[in-house]
Amino acid sequence: MAAEFGPLVRADRLAEQLDEVRLVDVRWYLNGAGDGRGGLDAYLAGHLPGAVWLDIDSDLSGPASPAAGRHPLPNEAAFAGALGRMGIAEGTPVVAYDDSGGSTAARLWWLLHVLGEPVAVLDGGIDAWPGELSTEVPVPVPVQRPVREWPAGRFLSADQVATSERAVYDARTAVRFAYGDEAIDPRPGHVPGALSAPWAGNLDESGLFRPAEALRARFAAAEPNGAVAYCGSGVTACHDLLAMTVAGLDGLALYPGSWSQWGADETRPAALGPA
C-alpha cells in the first residue's frame, strides 16, 4: 500500500481504507475560525471518525522567534514524540486533512513525505467527507517512534535561498507578495527573484487539486533545477510543494523560516511590487 499511497487521496477512496490508515486533523486558524474557535475547538465539534488532532504551533513547529520565524521546523525528537503520543508508528499510512483546501494539512504531509513515510492529504478536506462526523475523541496507545534527522537539501536556510539556483515560489496571496500585510508580515515585500504562486491557485473551483498537467504548467520554472517554496511562516508553502509533487516535479525544498524570518532581518533585501 505504501508504494502507491499519496500524495492525495479522494474521500470515496479513503472511506474504503479507514481501517488501514491513521487520520490526523490539522485544522488551524491564523486569527480564529471566524467565530473565535481554534483548531482544537473545531476538531472537538466534529471530526472524521478515529482522527486525532495535531497542532501546527506546538506539534509541527518549533518555538517561534523573529530569528527563526513563526513556524520553524520542530526538533526531530519533538516531532517523533508528537507522532508517538498519538500512536502513529513508523511506516503507518497517514492521511492529513483540514477545512481549508489542504493549506495546513500539507505541513504534516511535507514533514512525513521527506522522511519517506506513507502520507496523503485528503483532497477537498473535511467538506469532501461523505459520511458522518464524530465527536468521540480516541485514546491512542502511545508508541516508541525512532528519531529521524531532517534530510539535507529538503529544507533551506535564508542564506541557501539567497544563492539557490532553484526556482523560488512564494505561496502567499498576490497582494501580500507585492505589498505585504502589516498585520502579519514583519515588513512589505518578498524575496528578490521569487515568483508569486498563491497556494489557493493549486485548487479548482470545487476546492480539489487541479490536474497534474495544469500544475506542472503552473510551476514550469521548477524545471530543470527544482524549486524552493516559502510563504509567511512555512505552512502554506507546503501546499505549493504538494502541488509540485502531484505534478511529478523533483528537487523540491521548503524554506521554513519564510518571510517571517527573512523580513524580520533588516539586512536582507526585499523586493516590492507584483511579479
Side-chain angles (χ1 to χ4, degrees), residues 89-160:
E90 190 173 46
T92 300
V94 169
V95 174
Y97 73 88
D98 56 36
D99 58 3
S100 54
S103 62
T104 56
R107 171 76 171 209
L108 176 58
W109 169 83
W110 178 253
L111 296 182
L112 287 172
H113 173 70
V114 298
L115 295 178
E117 290 290 291
V119 59
V121 168
L122 174 58
D123 201 7
I126 195 170
D127 291 336
W129 180 244
E132 297 292 326
L133 298 180
S134 173
T135 56
E136 181 178 349
V137 178
V139 181
V141 177
V143 298
Q144 285 293 326
R145 189 178 175 105
V147 177
R148 303 269 302 281
E149 291 186 4
W150 299 123
R154 291 293 210 162
F155 301 96
L156 300 189
S157 67
D159 287 340
Q160 289 172 320

Side-chain angles (χ1 to χ4, degrees), residues 166-169 177 190-195 271:
R166 308 186 205 195
V168 179
Y169 286 104
F177 173 87
H190 54 265
V191 173
L195 303 170

Side-chain angles (χ1 to χ4, degrees), residues 28 30 98-106 121 124 169-174 176-177 195-204 207-210 215 218-219 229-244:
W28 175 89
L30 180 62
D98 56 36
D99 58 3
S100 54
S103 62
T104 56
V121 168
Y169 286 104
D170 186 319
R172 296 177 296 167
T173 66
R176 281 184 67 193
F177 173 87
L195 303 170
S196 179
W199 68 265
N202 300 321
L203 306 177
D204 64 18
L208 300 176
F209 272 79
R210 295 166 63 188
L215 294 172
R218 185 177 198 225
F219 295 101
Y230 76 93
C231 55
S233 67
V235 175
T236 58
C238 297
H239 199 278
D240 276 2
L241 295 170
L242 174 56
M244 285 185 261

